[in-house]
Amino acid sequence: MIQGPGRALLFDIDGTLANTDPLHLKAFNQVLGPHGHVFDHARFSRELQGFANVSIGERFLPDETLERRAEILGEKEEVFRTLVAGQIEPLPGLIALLDHADVAGIPMVAVTNAPRLNAELLLAGLGITQRFKALVIGDELPYGKPHPLPYQEGLRFVGASAAASIAFEDSRSGVESATAAGIPTIGIRTSLSDADLVGSGAVASASAFDDPELIARLARAMNW
C-alpha cells in the first residue's frame, strides 16, 4: 500500500507492547515497602503506572535527597530487569501489526517514561528494536508524560502529523500525553478498563492488538 503523508504509529512500551506491569508492581513493593509504601493493583494504576521516576521520587521519597531518590528508584529498575529477564512476551497481535506497518511503509516510534536501559531491554527481548525509527525516553526530556512533549518529539523524529497518526497507551498519564499532543489514542486494556482509558482521552480501547475492531480501525486509518 502507498503510505499517506505524515502518518506514524507511536507505542508506549510497558503494558502496551508487553504486559510487564505486574512485575513493576512487585519491584515497587520490594523497594518502596521499607519506606512505608505498599501498593495493590488499584493504587499502582493510579499513582505509579506511566509516571517518570523523578515524579515518583518526589511523591513517595520526599525526605530523601535527589541523589538518594535516584539510587532507590535505580534499585527498583534493577529488580524489575531481573524479574523480567526471559519473561518478555508480546501482546497478542503485536507482531502482525508491526508487519502490516512495515509493508505499508508507516514509521513506528516507541515513546516511554521508562529508563533507557529498561526500554532497550524490553524491545530487544521482544526482538523488535529495529522496527522503530526512534525511541523517545521521557526522563531524557525537560518533561515526561503526561506532558505532550514526549509524543511531540516522537512525531518530530519521523516528520508525522499528529492528526494522521495513532498512539497506543495503557496508562492514564500516557493517554493524556498522547492526546495532548493531538494524536488519536487507542487504550490497551492490560491494566485499566475501557472507562478509565476513554475517560483519560482515548478514542477507543482494545484488549490486545488482535482485537477485530482495532484491526478494522487501523485498516481504515492507515489505508492497508
Side-chain angles (χ1 to χ4, degrees):
M1 302 295 292
I2 298 173
Q3 178 194 353
R7 291 179 180 149
L9 296 177
L10 302 98
F11 297 81
D12 174 51
I13 297 179
D14 280 294
T16 299
L17 300 180
N19 187 13
T20 52
D21 286 340
L23 299 180
H24 279 291
L25 173 58
K26 185 174 181 179
F28 272 120
N29 277 328
Q30 183 172 324
V31 173
L32 292 182
H35 297 271
H37 303 292
V38 179
F39 301 89
D40 58 12
H41 172 80
R43 189 180 180 202
F44 168 82
S45 69
R46 286 194 311 270
E47 301 179 15
L48 295 174
Q49 184 192 28
F51 287 97
N53 278 347
V54 170
S55 64
I56 291 171
E58 289 172 354
R59 180 168 186 178
F60 295 105
L61 300 167
D63 298 328
E64 303 288 351
T65 64
L66 291 176
E67 292 78 12
R68 181 63 183 141
R69 290 178 196 171
E71 187 178 300
I72 292 166
L73 290 167
E75 180 186 345
K76 175 263 163 182
E77 301 304 350
E78 289 178 8
V79 171
F80 168 76
R81 288 191 291 270
T82 299
L83 291 171
V84 83
Q87 296 192 42
I88 307 172
E89 296 289 339
L91 280 194
L94 173 65
I95 303 304
L97 170 56
L98 301 185
D99 288 343
H100 273 300
D102 278 339
V103 170
I106 296 168
M108 292 172 283
V109 179
V111 183
T112 181
N113 269 352
R116 182 169 290 275
L117 275 176
N118 289 25
E120 291 176 345
L121 171 69
L122 288 169
L123 293 179
L126 292 168
I128 58 175
T129 302
Q130 301 308 315
R131 302 286 195 125
F132 296 95
K133 301 294 185 187
L135 170 58
V136 179
I137 305 293
D139 270 354
E140 297 175 1
L141 298 173
Y143 304 100
K145 304 173 189 178
H147 194 280
L149 183 59
Y151 275 98
Q152 291 167 340
E153 283 292 286
L155 293 170
R156 185 182 65 79
F157 271 119
V158 293
S161 155
S165 299
I166 293 178
F168 301 92
E169 272 285 355
D170 72 306
S171 69
R172 294 180 183 89
S173 66
V175 171
E176 290 166 4
S177 173
T179 56
I183 307 169
T185 304
I186 306 293
I188 301 298
R189 298 192 302 268
T190 46
S191 294
L192 298 178
S193 67
D194 175 79
D196 287 329
L197 293 162
V198 172
S200 297
V203 297
S205 75
S207 58
F209 296 101
D210 58 354
D211 185 302
E213 290 186 13
L214 172 60
I215 292 169
R217 178 185 289 270
L218 287 172
R220 292 192 302 271
M222 297 290 129
N223 289 332
W224 64 45

